Amino acid sequence: MPHPLTPPRIYITSVEEGTVEDTRKDGGSVAAVEQLNSGASSGVIPSIDLAMALSKQQILNTASNDGALPLTSVSDSEWHPVRAVSGDGGGNGVPQLYTRPVSEATPIPSIARKCPALERNWPITSQPVALLIVFGLLWAVAYAILPTELSHPAGGLMRLVFLFVGAQACGILVSLTGLPDMLGMLFWGVLYANVGWADFTGYERVEVFLREMALVNIMLLAGLGLDYTALRSLFRFIMQLTLVPTVAEVVAVTVLSHYLLALPWLWGVLLGLVVTAISPNVVVTVLLRLKEERLGLNKGIHTLIIAMTSCNDVLAIFLFGVILGVIFSTGDLTSQILQGPIGIVIGLVYGSLCGLALLYVPSYHAKYTNGLRFAMTALAGTLSVVGSKKVGYPSAGALGCIVTAFVAGTGWRKRPPTECNEVSMYLDLLWKFLKPVSFSLIGKEVNFSVLEGETVLYGAITLLAAVLLRLGFSYLSAMGSELNWKEKAYVTLSGFPKATVQAALGPAALDLARSLNATEEYARAQTVLIVTVLAIILTAPLGALLMIKLAPRWLKRSTDDRTDQYQ
């Protein structure tokens, strides 16, 4: 019996163009094909996982009837659809579906078969293992061609590389227990710093840039995740579920941190904006599992949760950038007041122009359209973040990133499915590299030698009170909908896990304080970072566990072919 937190094993199956359409004409295969396509939906936001992005791509293809079958989660006893043509059992030249053993479909190394947990998770675990091999090969090449001071394991550059390699390995080990892999990455960063290995002398700017790239990746994915159609049809309800709980949580964190952690009011607001963001990594992973089990599809609960998560994260990231810019702004009071509005205008203009440019360049018929479009999107987002700091308006960076992705993504959704882009898939692949970077670097800032027990205690109290207040206001915000009390409670619970966005935003204040040599702000930025780490440790695993365990009890299982009434 697989552990309840074990991610599903996912395999990609496709047939030639026109196969699904031909199969639908065959009366004996209609039910099977409709059952395969029952989970299809074009409204799913890009997740922060390559398998999720591939799932979205397959779903888009299925919706256009171009012959691609959706990703299918299988266990050892389930069937796996593949293609059979005339002469191989298909009959009458019509492609048929037949079963194939999992062991035949996906070869598994013999060493993995000796460990049941590893064998069960091999389709998912094999991806980070491949990344470890890539890191090893890169180091071997570097050792062969670079000077000794750059490639020696004791050098600052190699210490930085091994921090990420170790984080990836710890993530794999922790994921085998059913817990989120981010906890292993975080733990490795904490261990790395407290045993004295986190000395990256001479490469501090590289460390900051990698953190900024992780933040850019998160913001671009958040922008692409905003579905204009869903936002328009459910605007009032989504805004209600986003604004009311977010304001309540930020206010609670601000007040409690001011009196318990001695943070100034603006720093309290900054901490509240970091804490209030919802982890798309945890939430979307759980929703994909629920979709396979057809739980919560009858009332559009998946669409509501995804839209709420996206809007919540976009709002938190944007306001975080504004408040951060105000805190570290220099000059008179007038310039500090205008810092936010001017940054908003710059971000909106820059993001709109870049998003519109991505709709026309390169051409949709160019050979390498998707690769070029991904490169342009990533560079536009990076320039937004680093360029806004250069011109003195860092609050424009986050908004420019999000608007770029939103404008471009909205235009790409209007194109024919055969021309649909794969930028979100490439961004998910990039996150595979940046995820251990982000979580290990945030863990690396937790130094036990300077850590005060009082900060941890009061930080935990602040988090507990604020999260409980958020859950209460979130439930009240769901009043007036057609959901019953259990479904409202589940939508409320989806706002509990916090991890991905926190890993990107948590160290930002400390990095900026160091770059500006604002030594008087170090202690406050360190406090924000400590509370951020506590938020990840306390909410990510518990939130995922509660969402999975309570779904069969609180959500109804769909029996018809509908996927989501709002999509």
Side-chain angles (χ1 to χ4, degrees):
M1 185 69 181
H3 193 280
L5 285 180
T6 298
R9 287 183 284 173
I10 298 177
Y11 301 88
I12 302 175
T13 303
S14 62
V15 293
E16 295 178 354
E17 186 171 356
T19 299
V20 171
E21 188 65 32
D22 294 339
T23 308
R24 288 183 183 274
K25 297 176 182 179
D26 181 11
S29 301
V30 171
V33 175
E34 289 184 350
Q35 181 181 3
L36 284 172
N37 292 338
S38 62
S41 165
S42 59
V44 180
I45 67 169
S47 65
I48 307 183
D49 189 279
L50 179 58
M52 299 175 196
L54 290 174
S55 176
K56 177 185 176 185
Q57 183 66 31
Q58 294 288 63
I59 288 170
L60 289 172
N61 291 339
T62 303
S64 65
N65 289 335
D66 68 347
L69 297 178
L71 294 173
T72 306
S73 174
V74 297
S75 63
D76 293 341
S77 60
E78 291 177 338
W79 61 275
H80 179 64
V82 293
R83 176 168 50 88
V85 296
S86 178
D88 293 321
N92 300 324
V94 180
Q96 303 288 335
L97 297 176
Y98 69 97
T99 63
R100 180 168 67 179
V102 176
S103 60
E104 178 187 345
T106 305
I108 300 177
S110 57
I111 189 174
R113 298 183 185 277
K114 298 178 181 179
C115 177
L118 183 59
E119 179 182 2
R120 184 172 63 249
N121 293 280
W122 181 247
I124 301 298
T125 308
S126 61
Q127 293 185 98
V129 169
L131 292 179
L132 287 177
I133 296 174
V134 169
F135 278 125
L137 293 174
L138 287 175
W139 175 77
V141 172
Y143 191 81
I145 64 175
L146 294 179
T148 305
E149 60 271 15
L150 294 178
S151 59
H152 194 277
L157 182 60
M158 286 298 104
R159 282 175 181 258
L160 194 60
V161 171
F162 290 140
L163 172 65
F164 308 145
V165 174
Q168 187 72 67
C170 283
I172 296 174
L173 295 176
V174 171
S175 66
L176 296 178
T177 68
L179 294 173
D181 59 354
M182 63 193 72
L183 294 181
M185 299 173 183
L186 190 65
F187 167 77
W188 177 255
V190 175
L191 176 66
Y192 209 79
N194 287 276
V195 297
W197 297 340
D199 180 14
F200 308 136
T201 304
Y203 298 93
E204 292 86 354
R205 294 187 64 109
V206 175
E207 179 184 347
V208 173
F209 177 73
L210 289 173
R211 279 179 172 157
E212 290 177 340
M213 285 302 300
L215 182 59
V216 168
N217 198 330
I218 292 293
M219 291 186 292
L220 290 176
L221 285 167
L224 287 175
L226 292 175
D227 189 334
Y228 176 75
T229 303
L231 289 176
R232 185 175 58 183
S233 59
L234 296 168
F235 182 78
R236 185 191 66 82
F237 194 31
I238 293 174
M239 290 298 101
Q240 193 172 302
L241 284 170
T242 300
L243 294 177
V244 176
T246 298
V247 171
E249 188 172 20
V250 171
V251 169
V253 171
T254 302
V255 173
L256 291 173
S257 63
H258 179 72
Y259 291 105
L260 295 180
L261 299 171
L263 289 179
W265 291 110
L266 269 181
W267 276 94
V269 174
L270 189 78
L271 176 59
L273 292 170
V274 174
V275 170
T276 195
I278 304 171
S279 172
N281 195 348
V282 175
V283 171
V284 177
T285 301
V286 173
L287 290 182
L288 285 175
R289 178 168 179 167
L290 298 187
K291 176 174 284 188
E292 294 168 359
E293 300 175 3
R294 306 197 59 76
L295 289 170
L297 297 177
N298 56 324
K299 294 184 180 179
I301 293 175
H302 288 220
T303 297
L304 292 176
I305 292 176
I306 287 172
M308 178 189 70
T309 301
S310 297
C311 292
N312 180 281
D313 292 345
V314 167
L315 180 65
I317 293 171
F318 161 62
L319 292 179
F320 175 86
V322 173
I323 299 299
L324 189 66
V326 172
I327 289 176
F328 288 96
S329 64
T330 57
D332 55 20
L333 181 61
T334 302
S335 64
Q336 293 182 12
I337 293 175
L338 294 176
Q339 173 76 222
I342 294 177
I344 291 174
V345 173
I346 293 175
L348 286 173
V349 172
Y350 174 84
S352 299
L353 292 177
C354 289
L356 290 173
L358 287 168
L359 296 180
Y360 300 101
V361 181
S363 168
Y364 288 91
H365 304 292
K367 183 176 181 181
Y368 302 108
T369 297
N370 290 318
L372 292 173
R373 197 176 292 156
F374 161 72
M376 292 175 62
T377 303
L379 290 174
T382 304
L383 179 61
S384 178
V385 172
V386 299
S388 62
K389 292 181 180 180
K390 183 68 175 179
V391 299
Y393 291 95
S395 59
L399 184 60
C401 254
I402 294 169
V403 173
T404 297
F406 174 67
V407 172
T410 301
W412 291 335
R413 288 188 181 95
K414 297 178 181 179
R415 301 294 301 181
T418 53
E419 299 177 0
C420 84
N421 76 95
E422 298 177 353
V423 173
S424 61
M425 185 179 69
Y426 290 132
L427 286 172
D428 282 332
L429 178 59
L430 179 61
W431 179 248
K432 284 292 184 183
F433 288 90
L434 294 178
K435 186 177 182 179
V437 171
S438 182
F439 283 97
S440 62
L441 285 178
I442 191 176
K444 167 244 177 190
E445 298 295 341
V446 181
N447 193 335
F448 290 145
S449 62
V450 298
L451 189 62
E452 298 180 1
E454 189 178 80
T455 303
V456 176
L457 176 61
Y458 289 152
I461 294 174
T462 300
L463 283 173
L464 178 62
V467 169
L468 290 178
L469 191 65
R470 176 194 177 89
L471 295 178
F473 274 90
S474 182
Y475 187 85
L476 293 176
S477 301
M479 294 295 184
S481 66
E482 62 180 13
L483 305 178
N484 60 41
W485 74 267
K486 292 183 178 180
E487 292 164 340
K488 292 175 185 175
Y490 195 84
V491 172
T492 297
L493 184 62
S494 65
F496 183 74
K498 303 173 187 301
T500 315
V501 180
Q502 282 73 19
L505 298 183
L510 186 59
D511 287 339
L512 190 56
R514 287 171 176 168
S515 64
L516 298 176
N517 199 26
T519 54
E520 68 279 2
E521 304 290 3
Y522 280 5
R524 296 164 182 169
Q526 187 72 27
T527 300
V528 170
L529 184 63
I530 295 301
V531 178
T532 300
V533 174
L534 289 175
I536 296 173
I537 295 174
L538 297 178
T539 64
L542 181 59
L545 180 63
L546 290 175
M547 289 185 70
I548 291 175
K549 288 293 187 181
L550 295 176
R553 301 180 183 180
W554 287 1
L555 301 181
K556 294 181 180 179
R557 192 181 304 275
S558 300
T559 56
D560 55 16
D561 290 337
R562 289 185 306 171
T563 55
D564 195 316
Q565 68 183 61
Y566 294 117
Q567 291 180 345

